[in-house]
Amino acid sequence: MYEKEAIYEGNNTIDLPKTFTCQDIPVSHQQIPKPKLLKKVAGLRNIADLIPDYRADLEIGLLIGSNCPKALQPLEVLPAKGQDSYAVLYHHGWTVSGPLHFKYSSEKNSISCHHVFLQEVERVKECFLPAAVVHMFERDFSEKDVGRVPDEKGLSQEDQQFLKEVAKNIQFTNGHYQLLLPFRTNKVNLVNNREQAVKRAQWQRRKMKLNPKYHEDYVEFVEKLVSEGYAYKVPDDQSYDKQPAWYLPHHGVYHPKKPNKIRVVFDCSAKYQGSSLNDKLMQGPDMTNFLIGVLLRFRLEKVALMGDIESMFYQVQVPKDQHKYLRFLWWPGGELESELTEYRMGVHIFGAVSSPSIANYALRAAADHARDKYGPDVEHTIKTNLYVDDYLKSLPSEEQALRPVKDVTAALKERGFRLTKFVSNSRLMLKSIPQKDRSKDLQTCDLDYDELHVERALDLQWNTENDYFTFSASLDPKPFTRRGILSTVCSLYDPLGFVAPFLLPAKRILREVCQDSSLGWDNVIPEKYLKPWRRWLDDLPILSNLKIPRCVKPKEFGTVTSTQLHMFSDASNEGYGAAAYIRLSDNSGRISTALLIGKSRVSCKGNNHTATGIDCCSGVHKSRTTYFERAADYSGPDILSHRFYNSSSLYL
């Protein structure tokens, strides 16, 4: 008889072939054979103790296909008496197939899921197919964004239901908006998962003991949640055994560019017995402004201002009767040897699939409320100059900027949103802002003498002292492999395409490496690829000298009398691209031109495509012009009087 201990001792190791991952596996926990049930089946009782104990906290994580015949080779078959079911012994243990129906059992589904435990012998590396890399480059010209217009109608049925529910239930109380968790149905079936939350907390405890800084930052973050009123301790008479509840596992994440700042994220996607909180919530429509539009508007005028809404998600409250779905476990004061205590969040959280739409809906409600008191300009600013929680605005002069900024800040504050961490290229603007509301670096800066810092405007490097965008070429060295090239190419963040011509050769090398079937992701690339790649890396530091004026208007430019957009595009066997320039004329007859946005993409080459490079680029002029027409729409009424030119240029 096959020994149960072999399952745990690794005496039945099987090498899996190339394995892929997916977000969800369509198998239910009801399809797992449980030892307790098998003890009731004549013919299968003898193997009941040889099947691993059922653990509800573990998810089904592997489907074994026919490309692994050793794992599917039957060693013994055992039929059940009086049933259509049977047990099969494989190298990895016993499993049961077929229906098991009993009047005294709640198991009504067919038992068809193999119940085994796996241990990873070698670290699994992520797998990218060449097609996935091509898809990544396709996003440079996202057809979704090309055809999408702000405030465009055409919502899904679920999005319509989301908007109907939040509009019906939105309230303003205690200085904040209150919006419900948008569950898909009125009846929320979530099994109490406290056991899962306890296990995840124990993992976090081990990590904190090994990393004192992680522990210190984590404690500071959670204690702030409590002190700010975003979370609170569950009363003793409402403990988990007294009422239904859902517990949120949580973990800490550091921003790669802010290594000292931790954010605790609640894992709303953690599944327990096949369900998670996010499975039950409607995501809602995407109400986030277009990144390109926010950045383009940020470049239109001479005085620029940037701010941040403090803890935006946490400013929108959740109704009291829904707090039970937002429980979490924590050690008071961060004392890891003490008993875990139950807390509840009373606000919308990072990790919930619905939180971005909820927060944006509340912001739009704040804008609507501001219209009557502060005017349509303030309403328009709140609705169009925010990207998630980042506020970017440009205005014609310092005198014209002071009042609108104060009005926007006051309008948001009245509805529970605090606009803070201000940055500007104008010292007069910064002096008008209280010191505590400036960015951390500017709070200690002498505005009369010190030089202003380089800031990040939606991850673009903005030199506020001289008012231009720049690039950092100091990337961490990567191995000369397909994976290393991909990592390097993706490390250069360039949403407006300022360095698109420079990136195109790197994309072309990556495409050729991905099409070489003899190379794996971690094989050193041969000399024919290595030579041009090294040449490209040698040129990379030159980007540090690139300076792009933030404002499209020169400093001494007068009143604009004419605005035109000029489009250029070109294609070849190697790639194609497009560029949009803005041409301005002022009341003194001066003319100025500036690059607004550029895009480049490698052409489609290889056996997976039926067309040549030129054929794949057919229609590029039409589609890319449409793209930039949309970009003009995003920029608002200031550049509505424009002309479009389709021209071939040597842009590549």
Side-chain angles (χ1 to χ4, degrees), residues 151-164:
D151 301 321
E152 179 184 14
K153 305 302 179 183
L155 299 172
S156 67
Q157 291 292 325
E158 182 174 289
D159 287 346
Q160 293 180 40
Q161 180 187 352
F162 174 96
L163 293 174
K164 181 180 178 180

Side-chain angles (χ1 to χ4, degrees), residues 249-266:
H250 48 86
H251 59 277
V253 177
Y254 287 100
H255 193 289
K257 294 185 174 64
K258 302 174 183 177
N260 295 318
K261 183 178 180 180
I262 196 172
R263 172 176 287 172
V264 174
V265 179
F266 293 95

Side-chain angles (χ1 to χ4, degrees), residues 1 46 61-62 79 99 111 127 135 150 192-193 222 259 266 268 276 341 368-369 381 420 453 479 513 541 551 648:
M1 181 62 67
N46 293 337
L62 180 70
I111 306 299
C127 179
H135 175 69
N192 191 305
N193 68 327
V222 177
F266 293 95
C268 300
S276 70
T341 301
D368 292 336
H369 180 267
T381 294
T420 184
H453 298 82
V513 170
C551 184
S648 292

